[in-house]
Amino acid sequence: MGATILVPFELPDPEPLSPVLVEDLSSLDIVVLGHYGLPEQTPPTAARSQFEEGARETLEGLAADFEEAGAQVTTRLVFGRDRRKTMDRIAIEEDCDAELDPAPTDGIERILVPLPNVTGLSRLPEFVRVLCEESTREVTLFHVAEAGERVADGEEMLRAARGRCSARGSIPSRSTP
């Protein structure tokens, strides 16, 4: 199994996904998450029984774009209130390496890659390479030092990540501690 990326969509009316992104991500394993946002007073079971068929159809259509481009796709449909918590939970359950919130685009000129304070960044160069295209001018690796973390440690992590990306043929990147 290759690198896995979570691509979440807000249902019932998801933002359209750029064919550029679909093509760029097709070499990865994709988890397409449909999150159907609910008002405070609506029980998830009631919403599911009323809207599941249409939501599932929409989600399968989104997944089909990736499948047609050659990607391995898993779909997940969740009815709930907290989109962020849902995304975090599904990313853990599906062992995702990254997440991409889709937005309309004609090309990817700049990429911002926030790096958490973890040691397992071995798949980073592949993600950067996959997302880069001819129109990509800049890749920025970014890390925010958290309380108790030494800035020098964050800077070292960025230098190491930049070196791995450069060694694997990703475009030159600049890093910001």
Side-chain angles (χ1 to χ4, degrees):
M1 180 178 233
T4 303
I5 188 165
L6 175 68
V7 183
F9 292 93
E10 190 61 36
L11 302 176
D13 300 311
E15 283 288 324
L17 189 62
S18 165
V20 170
L21 286 177
V22 171
E23 189 62 36
D24 285 349
L25 299 174
S26 66
S27 66
L28 303 173
D29 294 335
I30 309 293
V31 176
V32 176
L33 168 63
H35 178 262
Y36 202 105
L38 300 178
E40 201 57 42
Q41 300 300 319
T42 304
T45 54
R48 184 174 288 281
S49 67
Q50 185 175 0
F51 301 114
E52 182 172 20
E53 185 177 328
R56 176 90 38 214
E57 194 173 291
T58 300
L59 188 61
E60 295 301 327
L62 295 166
D65 292 339
F66 286 107
E67 290 168 342
E68 290 169 11
Q72 290 282 27
V73 181
T74 301
T75 59
R76 298 287 300 266
L77 176 60
V78 176
F79 288 81
R81 290 174 189 78
D82 192 330
R83 182 175 189 260
R84 179 78 256 159
K85 282 184 181 176
T86 297
M87 290 167 55
D88 291 346
R89 180 176 56 83
I90 298 300
I92 290 167
E93 289 175 5
E94 296 292 340
D95 196 26
C96 294
D97 299 296
E99 153 193 326
L100 174 73
D101 251 335
T105 183
D106 291 328
I108 302 173
E109 293 180 15
R110 293 177 298 179
I111 300 171
L112 174 64
V113 183
L115 300 176
N117 188 14
V118 297
T119 56
L121 296 174
S122 61
R123 294 180 177 172
L124 176 66
E126 177 64 13
F127 279 114
V128 172
R129 187 195 63 70
V130 165
L131 290 174
C132 288
E133 51 189 46
E134 278 187 32
S135 63
T136 304
R137 297 187 328 251
E138 179 180 311
V139 174
T140 301
L141 303 178
F142 182 80
H143 175 72
V144 176
E146 296 184 27
E149 181 182 354
R150 294 177 350 127
V151 171
D153 292 340
E155 290 172 344
E156 177 55 35
M157 180 185 61
L158 287 168
R159 273 191 292 280
R162 183 177 50 235
R164 282 194 300 271
C165 287
S166 295
R168 296 250 174 94
S170 300
I171 67 170
S173 59
R174 68 178 173 87
S175 57
T176 304

